[in-house]
Amino acid sequence: MQPSSINLRLWLTYSLIILLVLFFALAGIVFAFQSSPLLYRQVFLRMDLVSHLLTNRLSFVIAADWDPTIDLFFKEAELLDVEVAIIDNKGASVFLSDGYLESELPPMTTLAQDAENSQEHILTFRDEEKIIWFYKISKINDNYYLLVAAERPNVAIGSLFQDELVKPMLKTGLFALIGAFVVSWLMAEWITRPLKRLSQSANNIAEGKYEPIPIEGPREVQQLARSMNDMSGKVENSLKSQRDFVANVSHEFKTPLTSIQGFSQAIFDETVHKPADIKHAAEVILKETDRLNILVNDLLTLAKLDAGTMAMNKEKIEINHLIKSLIEDFRFEIEKSGVRIKGVYTKPLYLFADSTRLSQVFLNLIDNAIKFSKSGSQILITISREGNYACVGVKDQGAGISEEELERIFERFYQVDKARKGGSDHGVGLGLAIARQIVVAHGGEISATSQLGEGSTFMVKLPIEDATQNQ
Ligand code: ADP
C-alpha cells in the first residue's frame, strides 16, 4: 500500500534514515571495538613486561653458557600467564615454556623474520583450533630471539554491547522517532499549506471564479501558481471568446432572419400586394438568405479548419501565376470601384498548396483593400522571396487601421468600425480569421501593418515547395 499523505511519507523517510544511521553507527562501533587494542591492554602490558625483563637477563645467561637457573625466570612468565620461547637464528627452538607452542606457532624462522620486518609492536596469529594468539619477538643477541605469546582473551563483546550500547541506543532511537514524527508533521504542514491553497484556488477556477493565485511559498509552488494563473487566464479568455462567438453568431443570424421574417410576413398578410413591392420583398429575402448561406459556410469552414478536418487538395502551384489570374478575375470589380491595381512579380516560385483555399485568402485581402480604398487610389500587390518563403504583400492607400485595432483584426467577428463597413456587400468579420487559419494550415503566417489615414499592408508568407529546386 502506498503511504497516502505527505506527512506519513516524510515520517517514514525520517524513520528510515534514523534507523539506518543507528544501524551503521552500531556496526561501526562494534567493528572498531573488536579490533581495538583497548580491550587487550592488560595482556599487552604483561607481554611487554615479560619480554622486557627476560631479554635483558637472558643476554647474560646465554653469554655465560646455558644456565639451569634460567627456569626461574620462566616461572615468572608463567605467573603472568604468558608463554615464552627462545629461538636460535636458524629457527630451532632452544626453550619452550609450553611444548604446544612449537606445534601451533608458524615456523620460527618466519617469526624471526616477522620480528625484523614488522613495525608492529604486537603481532597476531590464529592456531589450528582458531584460537588467536598475540606474540612479540625480541632479539636477545645475534644468535637468539625471545618469543613472548599470550592467548587473546575472550571478551564477551555481545553482552558488553547489549549492556553498554544497544539499550541506550534504542532509547535514543525511540526519542529520535518521536522527534521525527513531530518534525515530519511540522514539515508536512509547511510544505502542504501552499499546496492546499493552490488546490483551493483550482477549486475556485473549477467553479468559475477566476481570481489570480498569490505567488508565494516555495519556488516550485510559486512556479505552479504562475502556471495555474496562466492557465486560468487562458481558460477565462477562451470561455469569454466562446461566449462572444456565440453572441456574435446569434447577432449575425438575427439581422437577416428578422428581415426575412418581416418581409415574408408582409407578403403573407398581404400588407404588400403591389407586384413591384412583392418583387422587392422577394429580393430582400433572397439577399438575406444568401448572406445567411455565406455566414453558415464561413462558420463551417472555420470549424473544419479548427478541427483540422478541412480537406486540402495540395498540389504544386506557381504563386505569380495564381495572383495574376486572381487579379484578372477581379478586373471588373476593380474597374467598378475606381482603384488602380499594380502587380510586382518575381521569377517563378512553386508552392505545395491548395490553390482554391489560397485564392480565398488573397481574394479576401484584395476585396478588403478595394472595400477600404478611396476611388483613384492604388493597390500594390508584390511577390518576393525571403529565404525559403514566398511573400505576397497587398498594400492599399485606404483608411488604415489603428495600432490597437491592428492586433485584433484577425479575431473572429472583429470589425474595426461596424458603421464604417465597406460598401453594401460587407462581411461579418470572419474573412481574416479564415485567411489566417488557411495560411497556418499551409505552414505559413499572415501579418498586417498599417498607418491610419495612409493605408495598410497585409503580408502572407508561405513556404516554398522544394527550396533547393527554386534557387
Ligand atoms: P470583413 O468581412 O468585415 O471584411 P475581415 O475579417 O476581412 O472582415 O476584416 C476584419 C476587419 O479588419 C474589417 O472589418 C476592417 O475593419 C479591417 N480591415 C481589413 N482589411 C482592411 C484594410 N485593407 N483596410 C482597412 N481596414 C481593414
Side-chain angles (χ1 to χ4, degrees):
M1 198 185 73
Q2 288 273 318
S4 54
S5 71
I6 290 187
N7 195 332
L8 190 57
R9 281 170 194 230
L10 279 176
W11 186 69
L12 284 178
T13 313
Y14 290 153
S15 305
L16 200 70
I17 292 172
I18 288 167
L19 290 177
L20 277 176
V21 168
L22 283 179
F23 173 77
F24 281 114
L26 204 63
I29 292 170
V30 170
F31 183 74
F33 252 83
Q34 228 166 9
S35 48
S36 161
L38 280 177
L39 281 179
Y40 313 109
R41 211 174 41 197
Q42 297 282 340
V43 187
F44 295 162
L45 278 175
R46 277 187 275 127
M47 285 171 69
D48 272 344
L49 187 69
V50 171
S51 164
H52 192 71
L53 284 174
L54 285 188
T55 318
N56 283 337
R57 292 184 201 173
L58 280 171
S59 58
F60 295 113
V61 172
I62 289 170
D65 217 353
W66 197 258
D67 185 338
T69 54
I70 193 166
D71 286 355
L72 290 174
F73 296 124
F74 296 121
K75 285 272 182 294
E76 288 175 20
E78 218 177 300
L79 284 176
L80 289 169
D81 215 6
V82 173
E83 304 296 343
V84 185
I86 298 171
I87 305 154
D88 68 16
N89 54 10
K90 291 187 191 71
S93 52
V94 177
F95 173 83
L96 288 171
S97 66
D98 188 343
Y100 160 85
L101 269 180
E102 189 165 38
S103 57
E104 297 299 345
L105 278 176
M108 294 299 167
T109 35
T110 330
L111 289 180
Q113 240 165 36
D114 281 355
E116 292 286 327
N117 300 336
S118 170
Q119 302 293 318
E120 297 269 338
H121 186 57
I122 305 262
L123 302 159
T124 53
F125 76 93
R126 191 187 282 262
D127 69 16
E128 275 179 359
E129 285 167 37
K130 306 274 182 249
I131 296 170
I132 295 178
W133 286 82
F134 295 127
Y135 69 92
K136 178 181 163 107
I137 302 253
S138 35
K139 209 170 181 175
I140 302 170
N141 59 24
D142 285 347
N143 298 322
Y144 296 100
Y145 294 97
L146 173 71
L147 177 130
V148 186
E151 233 182 271
R152 192 178 85 173
N154 246 341
V155 183
I157 295 175
S159 56
L160 179 91
F161 274 87
Q162 215 169 359
D163 297 344
E164 304 299 330
L165 276 170
V166 177
K167 279 177 195 162
M169 272 197 149
L170 279 181
K171 267 190 209 161
T172 323
L174 193 69
F175 280 121
L177 286 184
I178 295 169
F181 183 76
V182 176
V183 172
S184 59
W185 185 79
L186 290 173
M187 284 281 278
E189 272 301 296
W190 185 54
I191 293 171
T192 53
R193 210 176 307 129
L195 289 177
K196 280 182 191 155
R197 270 201 300 267
L198 278 188
S199 135
Q200 180 58 45
S201 305
N203 283 344
N204 286 347
I205 293 171
E207 283 165 17
K209 296 178 210 149
Y210 296 96
E211 289 149 13
I213 304 164
I215 311 291
E216 55 190 18
R219 198 163 6 121
E220 293 80 357
V221 175
Q222 286 188 14
Q223 187 58 46
L224 189 58
R226 262 186 226 109
S227 308
M228 280 179 69
N229 279 342
D230 267 10
M231 182 197 70
S232 75
K234 280 182 189 151
V235 170
E236 194 179 8
N237 281 343
S238 141
L239 280 178
K240 187 181 171 300
S241 57
Q242 218 173 348
R243 274 195 299 268
D244 290 351
F245 185 75
V246 173
N248 281 322
V249 170
S250 318
H251 177 78
E252 292 300 335
F253 269 85
K254 204 165 175 273
T255 323
L257 279 175
T258 314
S259 287
I260 293 169
Q261 195 192 22
F263 280 98
S264 44
Q265 187 78 50
I267 296 169
F268 184 74
D269 295 345
E270 294 178 1
T271 327
V272 284
H273 39 77
K274 286 188 207 148
D277 292 343
I278 293 175
K279 193 170 179 225
H280 172 69
E283 261 171 15
V284 174
I285 291 171
L286 252 179
K287 208 181 102 209
E288 294 301 329
T289 326
D290 269 353
R291 200 167 137 71
L292 281 178
N293 223 346
I294 292 169
L295 181 63
V296 169
N297 278 336
D298 280 357
L299 287 173
L300 272 177
T301 307
L302 263 180
K304 281 186 191 162
L305 283 165
D306 281 348
T309 53
M310 169 67 83
M312 294 272 177
N313 298 318
K314 290 190 179 172
E315 56 189 338
K316 192 172 175 178
I317 58 166
E318 203 286 302
I319 190 73
N320 293 281
H321 177 73
L322 182 87
I323 300 290
K324 269 183 203 160
S325 58
L326 278 181
I327 295 177
E328 209 44 55
D329 293 347
F330 252 73
R331 182 81 37 214
F332 173 69
E333 198 146 338
I334 294 165
E335 276 167 14
K336 204 172 78 179
S337 65
V339 294
R340 283 172 289 119
I341 196 154
K342 187 178 168 207
V344 177
Y345 304 101
T346 177
K347 58 181 181 179
L349 289 176
Y350 293 96
L351 314 177
F352 188 63
D354 182 328
S355 59
T356 318
R357 299 281 159 218
L358 276 194
S359 301
Q360 190 180 348
V361 172
F362 296 118
L363 279 179
N364 186 266
L365 296 183
I366 299 171
D367 186 37
N368 278 348
I370 296 173
K371 269 196 303 191
F372 297 102
S373 288
K374 287 185 272 328
S375 173
S377 65
Q378 189 193 57
I379 295 169
L380 182 67
I381 301 182
T382 52
I383 303 172
S384 58
R385 181 182 179 148
E386 239 179 62
N388 292 333
Y389 286 87
C391 301
V392 182
V394 179
K395 181 176 163 60
D396 64 53
Q397 297 171 326
I401 308 159
S402 73
E403 213 169 307
E404 311 87 68
E405 279 159 330
L406 205 54
E407 284 172 18
R408 303 197 54 194
I409 52 170
F410 293 99
E411 286 174 19
R412 286 154 202 210
F413 291 109
Y414 190 79
Q415 290 180 307
V416 171
D417 179 358
K418 297 223 174 206
R420 196 195 73 180
K421 286 169 180 170
S424 58
D425 188 19
H426 58 79
V428 291
L430 286 179
L432 285 180
I434 293 175
R436 183 173 63 178
Q437 293 290 77
I438 293 174
V439 172
V440 168
H442 279 85
E445 53 190 64
I446 183 168
S447 58
T449 50
S450 188
Q451 196 86 46
L452 257 185
E454 298 201 359
S456 320
T457 305
F458 285 80
M459 186 60 78
V460 176
K461 274 175 91 173
L462 291 162
I464 292 170
E465 192 219 8
D466 183 350
T468 48
Q469 275 181 24
N470 278 291
Q471 290 292 331

